[in-house]
Amino acid sequence: DEDGFYMFGDAMKLIDPDDPEKGMLFDGRLSENFKLSTGTWVSVGTLRTDVIATAAPVFQDLIVCGHDRDYLGVLAWPEIAGCRNVSGLGADADVRTLIGDPKVGAHVAKTLSAFNKIAGASSRRIKRVILMAEPAQIDADEITDKGYINQRAARERRADLVHELYTDPPSDRVIEID
């Protein structure tokens, strides 16, 4: 920056706020974070991993949406084996059949509803989800060199799905969360 510091874009937090000499821990990427319309910051990195773990085994990865919106939504890539397990459908079921299966949708709604009850602030509560059939595309910059999802690029490339996530009334593909 103008003061000679290297800006690497990572957010850090102190290991012990009372003793800064103990060092810092990685706490997400600054470029991923955004504000809801209320002005509340969303820490995308932490939220992303928490939501994937909560919805196990059906999410492989996801895009957190909600920049300048009233609430958070998620565009998620399915974990195919997990969706097969939850749905009970056989190995011949294709991705679109799996992500449209009512048992998969019910699993997402149930697990994320439980997550929302303990999530706290609006910056951690998920209101809507769309499961995506098309994988992330490295050629479209949706995947970084390190193999992570480029949240901004993925949201921009999938703007039509982001729009669908926030359209009222919601489409049949939108899973609404309590």
Side-chain angles (χ1 to χ4, degrees):
D1 67 8
E2 63 276 353
D3 294 319
F5 292 97
Y6 177 65
M7 303 216 11
F8 49 91
D10 289 341
M12 305 299 283
K13 66 180 177 183
L14 294 171
I15 292 172
D16 181 349
D18 296 326
D19 187 2
E21 291 183 10
K22 289 186 177 176
M24 296 188 285
L25 292 170
F26 175 76
D27 195 31
R29 297 278 304 152
L30 294 174
S31 61
E32 293 180 340
N33 300 339
F34 59 82
K35 285 185 182 182
L36 293 169
S37 63
T38 60
T40 304
W41 277 101
V42 176
S43 178
V44 172
T46 304
L47 179 62
R48 183 186 137 271
T49 56
D50 290 349
V51 171
I52 291 169
T54 297
V58 300
F59 289 173
Q60 180 180 52
D61 213 329
L62 56 85
I63 306 164
V64 178
C65 304
H67 182 265
D68 289 335
R69 305 279 188 154
D70 294 339
Y71 58 88
L72 294 174
V74 166
L75 300 176
W77 286 283
E79 175 59 56
I80 301 304
C83 289
R84 285 189 202 290
N85 186 21
V86 168
S87 70
L89 297 173
D92 59 332
D94 66 9
V95 175
R96 292 190 190 282
T97 301
L98 289 169
I99 65 176
D101 185 81
K103 289 178 185 174
V104 172
H107 175 84
V108 170
K110 179 182 174 186
T111 57
L112 292 185
S113 178
F115 175 81
N116 284 348
K117 288 181 176 133
I118 61 169
S122 61
S123 64
R124 293 194 43 85
R125 287 191 306 268
I126 307 300
K127 186 171 179 180
R128 291 184 175 176
V129 175
I130 293 177
L131 289 165
M132 301 180 292
E134 180 195 16
Q137 302 296 312
I138 195 163
D139 293 341
D141 294 326
E142 288 184 312
I143 302 173
T144 68
D145 294 341
K146 295 180 181 179
Y148 297 107
I149 297 299
N150 179 335
Q151 295 281 315
R152 180 196 47 76
R155 278 192 303 268
E156 288 174 5
R157 181 169 181 274
R158 298 168 189 266
D160 58 329
L161 290 175
V162 174
H163 177 74
E164 183 178 348
L165 198 58
Y166 289 94
T167 298
D168 285 316
S171 75
D172 291 342
R173 292 196 306 173
V174 174
I175 303 166
E176 293 199 88
I177 314 299
D178 295 333

